[in-house]
Amino acid sequence: MTALHSTAGLTVPPRSSNRAWRKLKANRSALVGLCIILFFALLAVSAPLLPIADPLATSWTAIRKAPSAAHWMGTDEIGRDILSRMIWGAQASLMAGIFSVAIAVVIGVPFGLVAGYFGGWVDQVISRITEAFLALPFLIMAIALAAFLGPSLSNAMIAIGLSAMPVFVRLTRGQVLAVKTEDYVEGARSIGLGHLDIMLRYILPNITAPIIVQATLTVATAIIAEASLSFLGLGQQPPAPSWGSMLNVAKNFLDQAPWMAMWPGAAIFLVVIGFNLLGDGLRDALDPRET
């Protein structure tokens, strides 16, 4: 019993957490990615408080105006301020990325946990269904689900989350298979703990690191997917701003007003780079084999 409890205490070791944080702080590219994400997140959260123009207000005297002191990023095809729409559009894009991945994790991790822990026919059924989903290209599946559910931002998030879910099922299953034979899990079984207690108290805490890394990297993919769905008219619906829908309109005015496409494209690029850099940094920081 004493040995078991001392081993169980290693599931979330404070020193390991401190070591991971030190390694993350020492990774400059990860810090750059974190700063990029925090910058856009701060803009999105503070959008209602910033002294910017109404993102829906039109002006027929300011149609497709180039960047100037009055409109720092120019105006669009009906005279709306692009800077204001960029800031408000950050809410839709970041929310779509984060909530989509949350849906994928909440659904995928329990299925992967059950499949890896119990094995047998349960594992076979879940694995075969997961492989069937993985056989479909991610973006094609998201487009099909969004078209079936109907065009809206919430439906786009559900479609992206369901499309990303099989990746988390497979990742969790593989991690559980590697962990469930460890001594502390066997010790928990030997004292008569139930399956649910073992999965939640001894297995899940020891597989969270790769799930966190995968979730961070998947947010970047989800943001691109949301922009793609909005570009196709299946995501955020006008006149509400989102970076993807802004690109959809801007494609018709690339010659007359290239700034309409330049700013949302640059924002998507920077946010995706930020999440990728942070994900790579977390992978190095949370890997116990790295010193």
Side-chain angles (χ1 to χ4, degrees):
M1 290 285 289
T2 304
L4 175 61
H5 289 304
S6 64
T7 306
L10 295 176
T11 55
V12 189
R15 291 185 179 180
S16 178
S17 301
N18 294 335
R19 178 187 59 81
W21 174 239
R22 287 196 301 269
K23 290 172 63 177
L24 185 63
K25 288 194 297 183
N27 190 324
R28 293 185 179 180
S29 60
L31 292 180
V32 170
L34 180 60
C35 290
I36 293 173
I37 295 169
L38 291 178
F39 171 74
F40 281 99
L42 183 61
L43 281 181
V45 171
S46 59
L49 306 176
L50 295 175
I52 55 178
D54 184 348
L56 305 182
T58 61
S59 175
W60 299 109
T61 61
I63 294 176
R64 297 197 302 274
K65 293 294 184 180
S68 63
H71 303 283
W72 290 2
M73 292 185 178
T75 60
D76 63 7
E77 81 285 3
I78 54 176
R80 295 174 296 195
D81 184 70
I82 292 179
L83 174 61
S84 176
R85 292 181 65 78
M86 284 288 300
I87 293 174
W88 282 95
Q91 288 187 348
S93 296
L94 291 177
M95 185 171 62
I98 293 171
F99 278 92
S100 298
V101 173
I103 292 171
V105 170
V106 168
I107 298 175
V109 170
F111 277 108
L113 195 60
V114 169
Y117 181 80
F118 289 106
W121 68 269
V122 175
D123 183 22
Q124 291 295 320
V125 171
I126 295 176
S127 297
R128 297 298 82 76
I129 295 175
T130 301
E131 289 169 1
F133 278 105
L134 289 172
L136 299 172
F138 167 75
L139 189 56
I140 299 299
M141 183 176 175
I143 292 172
L145 288 174
F148 174 77
L149 295 172
S152 71
L153 181 60
S154 58
N155 287 342
M157 290 190 290
I158 295 173
I160 295 169
L162 293 177
S163 301
M165 176 262 298
V167 174
F168 289 93
V169 176
R170 185 174 63 175
L171 172 65
T172 304
R173 174 185 176 274
Q175 294 297 318
V176 172
L177 290 175
V179 167
K180 72 175 185 178
T181 57
E182 295 290 340
D183 292 339
Y184 56 86
V185 177
E186 295 295 337
R189 288 197 189 98
S190 68
I191 63 172
L193 288 182
H195 297 310
L196 186 61
D197 282 338
I198 294 174
M199 287 191 290
L200 296 182
R201 293 174 56 188
Y202 294 93
I203 294 180
L204 185 59
N206 286 282
I207 64 172
T208 52
I211 293 174
I212 291 172
V213 173
Q214 182 62 43
T216 305
L217 296 173
T218 306
V219 170
T221 305
I223 289 174
I224 295 177
E226 185 279 329
S228 301
L229 292 178
S230 296
F231 184 84
L232 296 173
L234 297 172
Q236 182 79 293
Q237 296 300 296
S242 82
W243 296 339
S245 60
M246 292 172 69
L247 285 175
N248 184 27
V249 174
K251 73 179 189 299
N252 301 316
F253 305 97
L254 291 177
D255 293 334
Q256 303 95 331
W259 55 87
M260 289 177 58
M262 178 177 65
W263 299 116
I268 293 172
F269 172 79
L270 287 174
V271 171
V272 170
I273 286 293
F275 276 105
N276 281 326
L277 290 176
L278 179 60
D280 288 339
L282 286 173
R283 180 167 52 197
D284 295 338
L286 296 175
D287 189 349
R289 295 169 295 182
E290 297 287 340
T291 58

